[in-house]
Amino acid sequence: MPRPRRRLVSTCIGSVTAGLLATGAALAAPEENRAEDSGIAMGAYLDYGPNGVARIRQLSRWLGGKDIRVGHTYLPGDQWAGIEGRVSFLEDWARWRRADDDRMFVLNVPMQARNEERVSDQQVGRLIRAGAQGLYDEHFRRLAERLVSLGVPDTVIVLGWEMNGVTYTHRCRPDPANWKVYWRRIVDVMRTVPGQKFKFDFAPNRGTDAIGWTKCYPGDDHVDIIGMDSYDQDPGQTFDDQISQPYGLQKHVDFARAHRKAISYPEWGLFRRGDNPEYVRRMLGWIEQNKPLYHTITDYCPHGVWQCKQNPQSSKVFRSAMTPAVPGPVTPTPVVPTPVVPTPVVPTPVVPTPVVPTPQVPTPQVPTPEVPTPQVPTPAVPTPQVPTPEVPTPAVPTPQVPTPQVPTPQVPTPAVPTPQVPTPLPEPSTAEPSPVVPSPEVPTPVDPSPGPLEPEPEPSPEVPEPGTPSPEVPKPSPAAPSPVGPAPVTPGPAVPKPEPTPTRPLPQPQPQQPPLNSMQWCVPINFGEWLSKLVGKQSVCVKIDLGEGSGFWPF
């Protein structure tokens, strides 16, 4: 590759001429036609100092408004002061970089002073070992501090470029192992500076050159980008040879992919074969295919296509490929009005639809029968009146002769039982009181002389046979004889034995007995709610006499 010294001299000689040409070329395309960037940052090396910064805008105009996102320059390697960044043109590049966040500043940094003085391999070996031992650390710390102070802490640093060749003092072949140690030491020192965001680009020459460049690779921890400088020269007669040769373009892409690193092309352009448009076309296609992080063409003679006028065909290809497509003026297509032929309107006859009256079928009014709600009278349950049995006094008591006990038929009383009604006792005799026999039921006294129609009841197993005197019935007392003795009733187990009732006077006999077997029914009359409020509740009572003289006596 041409050395930086020759690049600087040739650049100075042609700067005025190139500036005049660029001024005329800048008028070729207005900046407002700038198109969207394809995503690959593109730049060119135009000059190391302020002229290079100024030419970026001119190159953009020549390319029809192409956005030149990469500014590329080199630090001089003749003295350590230059490697430390103590050059004024860094301020111009830093100002350009800070003007747009989308821009990228690429800076090639030598690893040794006297970098282009053709130092022998033996001496290069000694310099490499001194660097690996840290002898030059301070120079690179000062460079890092300088870049951070200028506001470009994210500079891409192409450190020790083309190390696999024979041109520069920072070449790798004299001592590859210590060269890698030296590289790592520089990276570590620069990364210790506060605020830095540097990216380190490992960029050998295409091909084997003096040593296979993979033997100089310092390791993934100290490399951010794997680049390659590639010019149209040997090895390789064709572009396909440049792709497939050992350590060629394909090896570069594969190696970077294996190490998961971005690729770049910091330097590329024409060289040994003069104006070669096919090479430019193929190289631009390769770049578009493999999507590097950035690429910069070296644009001075014999490599360039804009400032070097000896490569017109290559220049034409480059400009055509890099100029954004600008749509031409749109010629409006004349609109020929289509004649409108009126379509005659044929009236459609309106046929009236006959209205068929719908017969009105009267709906018969079915009267809803009023079903009166039956008034269910609440039956009044009469309280049965239990007559007090009258014990008649016999006219002529027959002492000594026991009266045969005739079983009294048990007449069932109404459903409402009378609880524990004591039987009135006759006047007690002075000789012997009559025992009180408890009975849960009140027997109805009947005439001792049964009628001819009285049915003979079934004798109770607890009642003695008629005609048989009961030894347990006391003889009637003359003072209180009882013509009819009550039938002995066996008390239930649940009825407690009552205490003897104190002697009470007997009720006086009534002249007439109440009629037997009489019944009275009362039915309430419902006059409606409003009438009942006026006349009160009324009822109709019917009394039926079932006594012996009534003719209804059934027994």
Side-chain angles (χ1 to χ4, degrees):
M1 296 295 96
R3 291 175 293 176
R5 177 179 299 175
R6 296 177 181 177
R7 293 177 185 173
L8 298 179
V9 173
S10 60
T11 303
C12 293
I13 294 175
S15 59
V16 176
T17 304
L20 295 175
L21 294 175
T23 303
L27 302 176
E31 190 173 2
E32 54 266 23
N33 290 332
R34 178 178 302 179
E36 293 293 331
D37 195 271
S38 63
I40 302 173
M42 177 264 178
Y45 173 74
L46 303 173
D47 187 65
Y48 69 93
N51 289 334
V53 177
R55 291 169 187 164
I56 291 178
R57 184 179 180 86
Q58 299 167 5
L59 176 63
S60 175
R61 289 181 178 274
W62 182 71
L63 294 176
K66 174 71 175 176
D67 190 8
I68 309 300
R69 293 173 53 197
V70 183
H72 187 191
T73 192
Y74 298 76
L75 288 177
D78 52 345
Q79 299 179 4
W80 282 111
I83 297 174
E84 292 175 0
R86 287 187 286 168
V87 289
S88 60
F89 63 81
L90 278 183
E91 297 176 1
D92 299 284
W93 286 107
R95 190 179 304 110
W96 173 86
R97 165 64 185 88
R98 294 193 306 267
D100 192 337
D101 290 339
D102 199 37
R103 291 175 177 174
M104 182 183 302
F105 180 44
V106 177
L107 180 64
N108 280 40
V109 178
M111 295 173 67
Q112 293 288 350
R114 301 163 52 206
N115 197 36
E116 298 184 39
E117 292 185 6
R118 299 289 180 178
V119 179
S120 66
D121 286 351
Q122 185 177 5
Q123 190 173 359
V124 168
R126 288 195 299 267
L127 294 174
I128 290 173
R129 288 188 288 273
Q133 294 171 3
L135 185 61
Y136 311 124
D137 289 355
E138 190 61 27
H139 301 301
F140 296 99
R141 180 178 292 106
R142 291 174 182 172
L143 171 63
E145 292 172 348
R146 168 74 166 157
L147 293 174
V148 172
S149 66
L150 290 174
V152 284
D154 56 351
T155 300
V156 176
I157 296 176
V158 186
L159 181 64
W161 71 98
E162 299 178 7
M163 78 294 297
N164 59 328
V166 295
T167 304
Y168 304 111
T169 305
H170 60 228
R171 59 187 180 270
C172 168
R173 190 183 65 177
D175 191 344
N178 279 303
W179 188 92
K180 291 186 284 187
V181 174
Y182 184 27
W183 168 288
R184 291 194 290 266
R185 193 173 190 96
I186 295 173
V187 172
D188 288 340
V189 167
M190 296 187 70
R191 283 178 175 173
T192 61
V193 175
Q196 65 82 31
K197 300 176 184 178
F198 303 126
K199 289 182 174 60
F200 294 89
D201 193 341
F202 174 82
N205 273 323
R206 173 181 55 80
T208 304
D209 212 336
I211 185 175
W213 51 264
T214 59
K215 298 177 182 179
C216 304
Y217 184 68
D220 293 342
D221 293 341
H222 294 79
V223 173
D224 300 296
I225 306 167
I226 298 177
M228 176 167 282
D229 291 352
S230 181
Y231 291 88
D232 182 24
Q233 64 175 355
D234 293 337
Q237 294 298 315
T238 65
F239 191 82
D240 290 330
D241 293 340
Q242 297 178 14
I243 294 174
S244 60
Q245 67 185 195
Y247 302 100
L249 294 175
Q250 189 63 55
K251 176 64 176 180
H252 166 237
V253 172
D254 294 342
F255 186 83
R257 185 180 295 116
H259 291 263
R260 299 182 180 181
K261 301 296 181 181
I263 63 172
S264 69
Y265 297 99
E267 295 182 23
W268 73 276
L270 302 168
F271 196 14
R272 305 291 184 186
R273 298 185 176 95
D275 189 6
N276 189 351
E278 179 63 17
Y279 167 80
V280 174
R281 182 181 297 108
R282 293 291 303 274
M283 187 63 188
L284 290 175
W286 180 262
I287 291 171
E288 185 65 28
Q289 175 184 343
N290 292 281
K291 301 291 187 295
L293 180 64
Y294 72 93
H295 70 99
T296 53
I297 187 170
T298 303
D299 195 69
Y300 62 86
C301 289
H303 313 298
V305 293
W306 174 50
Q307 297 185 100
C308 184
K309 301 304 176 183
Q310 65 188 39
N311 301 315
Q313 297 299 319
S314 298
S315 177
K316 183 178 180 180
V317 171
F318 184 87
R319 187 180 188 188
S320 175
M322 300 304 295
T323 301
V326 179
V330 179
T331 303
T333 303
V335 180
V336 179
T338 303
V340 179
V341 179
T343 304
V345 179
V346 179
T348 304
V350 178
V351 179
T353 303
V355 179
V356 180
T358 304
Q360 301 290 332
V361 180
T363 304
Q365 300 292 331
V366 180
T368 303
E370 296 182 2
V371 181
T373 304
Q375 300 291 332
V376 181
T378 303
V381 180
T383 304
Q385 298 182 0
V386 181
T388 303
E390 303 242 349
V391 181
T393 303
V396 181
T398 305
Q400 308 291 334
V401 180
T403 305
Q405 300 293 325
V406 179
T408 303
Q410 299 293 327
V411 179
T413 59
V416 180
T418 302
Q420 302 293 330
V421 179
T423 306
L425 298 178
E427 189 70 23
S429 170
T430 57
E432 184 179 3
S434 300
V436 180
V437 180
S439 174
E441 298 180 0
V442 179
T444 305
V446 296
D447 196 311
S449 299
L453 298 178
E454 183 178 358
E456 188 72 17
E458 291 293 328
S460 173
E462 297 180 2
V463 182
E465 293 293 330
T468 306
S470 178
E472 298 189 11
V473 178
K475 295 179 181 182
S477 173
S482 298
V484 180
V489 179
T490 305
V495 179
K497 183 177 181 181
E499 296 295 329
T501 306
T503 305
R504 297 181 182 178
L506 291 174
Q508 295 297 325
Q510 300 293 329
Q512 291 182 358
Q513 295 182 358
L516 301 177
N517 297 326
S518 64
M519 184 176 295
Q520 178 176 344
W521 286 275
C522 292
V523 179
I525 299 175
N526 188 2
F527 293 99
E529 183 179 357
W530 66 274
L531 190 55
S532 295
K533 293 180 180 180
L534 297 176
V535 300
K537 294 184 179 180
Q538 302 294 328
S539 62
V540 176
C541 296
V542 178
K543 181 176 183 183
I544 300 174
D545 188 3
L546 299 179
E548 294 180 357
S550 65
F552 293 93
W553 179 251
F555 303 105

